[in-house]
């Protein structure tokens, strides 16, 4: 059967990575979480104090050639984990500290050019599910299947809040809601490749949809597209 490229874009905390992982597993495709790449660059910037109290985004741009990102498979967990300059940073990139800064870092054109080029190389010639904000519009505008995920801000903040509490972070619901809304605003209004639905994307609003129902729908959709491309 013909292997296709599946682009999953959408707002923060809409469960893009959950559905993308399920889909990649069911189809035996590669999964790439592009948000993890923007988060890893942000972690590098935080460690170097390029973002935080005083931003020095020019210094971050200067340092870009020194930032090496890699997805390394973790066979035990059955997932790939993000490595920044040889170090596993999978946990650190998911903290609120990184979430607070990442949208700003993702507005930097040089950062986007570097990461988009890496993403395009990763998918060449293989079955691929990639999630992010600009996959169907910029990274793979010719993807055979494009999905755009959305849900109410409250539904998304509630999910994210639970996730952070489960990981032991001390945060308030209000802070998480504010972060989700702020990131959506920055992501949708930035100049370079803003978050927007590709004209040919299928919209999934999962505010009131369970994980199983969502998976079944998206999976059926993917099988339909794969068959029509074979
Ligand atoms: O998917 P996520 O929430 O982990 O992504 C973190 C941030 O990275 C998000 O606020 C916007 C940015 N991002 C982006 O600009 N383009 C992508 N393809 C993926 C993420």
């Amino acid at each position: 059967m013909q292997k296709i490229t599946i682009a999953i874009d959408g707002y923060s905390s809409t469960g893009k990575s959950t559905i993308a992982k399920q889909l990649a597993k069911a189809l035996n495709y590669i999964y790439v979480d592009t948000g993890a790449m923007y988060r890893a660059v942000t972690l590098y910037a935080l460690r170097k104090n390029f973002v935080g109290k005083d931003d020095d985004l020019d210094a971050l741009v200067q340092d870009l050639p020194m930032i090496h990102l890699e997805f390394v498979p973790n066979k035990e967990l059955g997932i790939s984990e993000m490595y920044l300059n040889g170090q596993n940073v999978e946990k650190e990139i998911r903290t609120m500290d990184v979430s607070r800064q990442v949208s700003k870092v993702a507005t930097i054109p040089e950062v986007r050019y570097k990461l988009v080029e890496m993403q395009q190389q990763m998918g060449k010639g293989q079955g691929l599910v990639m999630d992010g904000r600009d996959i169907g519009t910029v990274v793979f505008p010719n993807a055979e299947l494009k999905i755009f995920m959305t849900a109410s801000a409250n539904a998304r903040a509630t999910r994210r809040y639970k996730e952070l509490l489960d990981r032991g972070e001390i945060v308030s619901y209000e802070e998480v809601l504010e972060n989700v809304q702020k990131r959506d605003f920055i992501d949708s209004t930035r100049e370079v490749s803003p978050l927007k639905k590709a004209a040919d994307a299928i919209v999934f609003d999962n505010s009131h949809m369970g994980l199983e129902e969502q998976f079944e729908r998206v999976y059926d959709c993917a099988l339909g597209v794969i068959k029509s491309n074979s």
Side-chain angles (χ1 to χ4, degrees), residues 16 34-35 38-39 102-103 106 112 132-135 183 187 190:
K16 296 183 297 295
T34 62
Y38 289 93
R39 287 174 177 275
V102 64
S103 284
R112 302 206 70 85
R133 304 293 189 288
D134 58 344
I135 313 305
R183 281 203 287 143
D187 295 344
R190 67 176 172 233

Side-chain angles (χ1 to χ4, degrees), residues 156-195:
R156 295 184 286 123
T158 304
R159 284 180 207 149
R160 185 99 187 103
Y161 179 57
K162 280 193 192 137
E163 237 174 70
L164 288 165
L165 288 190
D166 285 346
R167 277 198 223 125
E169 276 214 47
I170 301 163
V171 283
S172 68
Y173 171 78
E174 288 69 28
E175 188 185 0
V176 175
L177 176 65
E178 195 192 322
N179 177 257
V180 160
Q181 288 171 322
K182 194 170 167 192
R183 281 203 287 143
D184 288 344
F185 178 76
I186 301 175
D187 295 344
S188 324
T189 54
R190 67 176 172 233
E191 259 175 51
V192 183
S193 50
L195 164 65

